[in-house]
Amino acid sequence: METTGTNQPILRPSEAAEFAMALHEAPGAYLGYGPVPVLAHAPHTTLRMRRESFREVYGAIVARIGEPTLYGGSASGPHIRWRDPDRIVLLAGRPHGAELSVHRTDALEAEEMRIFQWGGAWSAEEQHDFDLLPYIWQLDRSGPGEPPAERTTGRMASSLKHFESALTLLLTAWVEQLAVQVGGDWAGFSLTSGADRGRQIHLSYALAEGLQVSVDDRDGADDEERARVMQNRGWHSRDRGWWQAEFPDPERAEAAEVARLAIAELHARGTREPKELRARDVSCKDRGELLLPGLGVRH
């Protein structure tokens, strides 16, 4: 067992699994206590390194107590819960690691609901707080336990700049977190705008393919002038009327570039406010219900 600078223990994967079992089977002895670190990341660790170091801990816990009720993650790391009406065992990422804890279900979910409902930026001039939300994506595949009856509608962005930040955080989280929890399954969605009805911008991530973004430009000219315009915006290639950009081995910079490209395209085609946008066809390999409460637009 290692220690942190505050002398709190960092449990090895096998120890983390045994501790998770104790929280899962006999939570009463641990309710009210602070979370226990199970993983530490060095400063400036890449998303790939964070993903692989978390994989070992998560795999050991799942092998001991089974698949979670809800997969997910925040801007700080994975946010995975084994839930029933009485208790939630929470494996939560932090900027420099991950922690295990157990909570009374009603109390934790009520506090999280308040954060979603009452925080955030009420105008474009204020600072957004998508990076502080308890979770920005969540996947329910009808695993063990019971999902909550009430789900948050999420935090809405107050400007396209805020939406770009939220989208960057979501894509960055997927790069770090998704493959550990769902293997090779892809996750994705399409953006549509009331300012440009009928058009889609599609975004997706899977470990094998990386980050991909594409826009329907079948009504655009297929000539050199149009190609120059689209390439200057950042698009890579055109295929059957869709312009696309692919990043097979993404890190933080590539996640930010995909978000920038999508918002720049929306703006170029007339979108001015996040309220004009909708996320459609939100899915993780068409299995379960994928929620994006930290995306910043309705879905």
Side-chain angles (χ1 to χ4, degrees), residues 111-130:
E111 174 59 25
E112 291 176 338
M113 195 65 69
R114 282 192 292 272
I115 293 172
F116 279 108
Q117 290 175 340
W118 299 109
W122 296 95
S123 71
E125 288 70 36
E126 296 182 62
Q127 179 65 37
H128 72 77
D129 68 348
F130 293 106

Side-chain angles (χ1 to χ4, degrees), residues 246-262:
E246 301 179 348
F247 301 88
D249 192 20
E251 280 287 337
R252 291 176 176 84
E254 288 74 21
E257 172 60 14
V258 169
R260 183 207 65 78
L261 183 54

Side-chain angles (χ1 to χ4, degrees), residues 15 25 45 65 75 90 94 100-101 126 142 172 181 187 193 206 220 270:
E15 296 170 330
E25 298 299 325
T45 303
I65 66 175
L90 181 62
R94 296 290 179 259
L100 264 173
S101 56
E126 296 182 62
S142 301
T172 302
Q181 299 179 51
S193 173

Side-chain angles (χ1 to χ4, degrees), residues 207-229:
L207 184 62
E209 290 80 21
L211 275 174
Q212 300 181 340
V213 57
S214 59
V215 60
D216 184 354
D217 194 51
R218 287 174 291 180
D219 58 345
D222 185 10
D223 57 27
E224 290 185 5
E225 182 179 354
R226 183 62 177 168
R228 186 160 46 250
V229 168

Side-chain angles (χ1 to χ4, degrees), residues 133 230 244:
L133 293 176
M230 297 301 284
Q244 54 200 13

Side-chain angles (χ1 to χ4, degrees), residues 18-19 21-24 26-34 36 101-103:
E18 290 303 314
F19 183 53
M21 174 60 79
L23 299 181
H24 192 264
Y30 303 95
L31 288 166
Y33 288 86
V36 173
S101 56
V102 66
H103 307 264

